[in-house]
Amino acid sequence: MSRTPLIALTLCCHLWHQCGSVDIDVFAVGDVGVTAPTSSTGPSSATSTAIGGGQAHVHHPRGDTAPAPRSVAWWLADYNVVAVAENAHFLQEHAGVVSAVFHCCSGPQVASNGSFVPSATQVALFHNLTVTERANGVTGPILFSLSPSPIAVLAGKAADAVPGLVALATAGGFDGFVADYEPHENTTKEHAKAFAEFLRVLTVALHANGKKMAVCVSDWGVLNYYTTLATAGADWYASMSDTYGGKGGVYSVEAKLSVTRMLAAFPLHSVVVGIGTVVPTTCACVYGNSGNCTGDYGWTEDSLTGFLGWVASKGVSSIAIWRADIYPRYCQPQGVQPWMFDVFRGFLNGTHYQSGPTSAVKSRD
């Protein structure tokens, strides 16, 4: 088969809208420069579990099973006690559209020597957030972000923190972690292997204690080695900025390429497609590291509905919504365009929400 030349893509991750670029072979659906595997290198199971919990036994051609029911996770803030009340208010206003919660961005930081000791303050805050979110209708996993030091990862010391991390999840009463690891130096495959080994050790320990592990992936750096990261055996792999935006055909092609690569590398039930929110103009967004919004993701009702319809057609049951107004504080009184909730509800219910004059019409996937 002929191969297309390498192309340069501009790539960004969600946190602070940090960007980089990498040359990527569009046919390398596994690791960069590696031919697609004939089957997933990640763990498979006879029963698939979506982020929201439910199970299914539907045959899938890859040997995996097609997961159901669907799940909509949301990235919500965890900076301080203010987030407890703000998250509760958000969940009360949008009951039924939040299946699970990924927290950002004050989770545990593994030190360069591999040490981590949970603090009483951290345990109390995470426990308070978890209890409050459960009380406000979140039935799926509640996870907190995790970011180990690259020095510790490369030295093989990050695994020393595993007992402390498990202790934090147990004492805090939450369901596990979502690794948001974004090193911008030495982003080699060997680095990815070291990171995957840390994730594998942590995942085994979390599973032994009834906890879960999610991993953020993207199309740059260490996060771009999908088949390597699949060896960690995490419960879920969530895409970031490569699927966050919906501005025009270029974004659609990039997003579909990323989802296709994820489906080739990870078990179907573990694939979580990230979506960035559109912020109302009243929030007067200033985008970037020092702004009040992380990115201009540019979706319209039609483009988001179409993309999620395509995602659903591939058997993906879980999406994770990145709030563009998550830092430094949610925009008040409304930081997410209201029409987005209709689209997410349509995905969650297995229907396609139709915008415009035919908005009352819904069709099954």
Side-chain angles (χ1 to χ4, degrees), residues 51-54 71 91 98-101 133-142 175:
I51 278 190
S71 173
L91 293 170
V98 184
S99 313
V101 174
E133 289 159 5
R134 286 276 180 245
N136 283 281
V138 178
T139 58
I142 295 175
D175 297 297

Side-chain angles (χ1 to χ4, degrees), residues 25-32 34-37 226-227 257 260-262 264-265:
D25 186 333
V26 296
F27 281 102
V29 294
D31 284 357
V32 176
V34 180
T35 303
Y226 287 9
T227 57
L257 170 63
T260 300
R261 291 184 62 222
M262 291 178 75

Side-chain angles (χ1 to χ4, degrees), residues 14 71-76 102 217 237-247 251-252 255-256 259 262 272-279 294-301 303-312 316 318-326 336-337 339-341 343-344 347:
H14 64 222
S71 173
V72 178
W74 283 77
W75 286 91
L76 298 181
F102 294 173
V217 299
Y237 292 87
S239 62
M240 294 197 289
S241 65
D242 46 323
T243 60
Y244 277 2
K247 294 192 295 185
Y251 282 72
S252 297
K256 288 181 177 180
V259 174
M262 291 178 75
V272 183
V273 176
I275 301 291
T277 60
V278 179
V279 183
T294 59
D296 179 10
Y297 299 116
W299 294 107
T300 64
E301 255 180 300
S303 65
L304 182 56
T305 299
F307 179 63
L308 290 184
W310 178 85
V311 166
V316 175
S318 299
I319 59 176
I321 315 305
W322 171 255
R323 285 195 62 160
D325 67 329
I326 198 169
V336 180
Q337 284 284 10
W339 58 260
M340 298 195 87
F341 296 100
V343 178
F344 297 142
F347 175 84

Side-chain angles (χ1 to χ4, degrees), residues 279-287 291-295 324-325:
V279 183
T281 56
T282 53
C283 293
C285 277
V286 175
Y287 298 104
N292 61 327
C293 299
T294 59
D325 67 329

Side-chain angles (χ1 to χ4, degrees), residues 29-170:
V29 294
D31 284 357
V32 176
V34 180
T35 303
T38 55
S39 63
S40 172
T41 58
S44 61
S45 65
T47 301
S48 298
T49 305
I51 278 190
Q55 296 182 337
H57 300 269
V58 182
H59 175 73
H60 188 268
R62 290 176 55 235
D64 202 350
T65 53
R70 294 182 184 173
S71 173
V72 178
W74 283 77
W75 286 91
L76 298 181
D78 63 359
Y79 304 117
N80 50 46
V81 293
V82 175
V84 177
E86 291 188 343
N87 289 357
H89 179 70
F90 177 79
L91 293 170
Q92 291 161 11
E93 280 198 327
H94 304 292
V97 195
V98 184
S99 313
V101 174
F102 294 173
H103 286 98
C104 183
C105 300
S106 297
Q109 304 284 319
V110 177
S112 58
N113 64 359
S115 64
F116 173 75
V117 178
S119 71
T121 301
Q122 201 169 43
V123 170
L125 174 59
F126 292 177
H127 182 265
N128 198 359
L129 283 162
T130 301
V131 169
T132 301
E133 289 159 5
R134 286 276 180 245
N136 283 281
V138 178
T139 58
I142 295 175
L143 309 179
F144 286 82
S145 62
L146 165 67
S147 183
S149 161
I151 295 174
V153 169
L154 287 165
K157 298 291 292 180
D160 292 352
V162 166
L165 293 170
V166 173
L168 173 61
T170 302

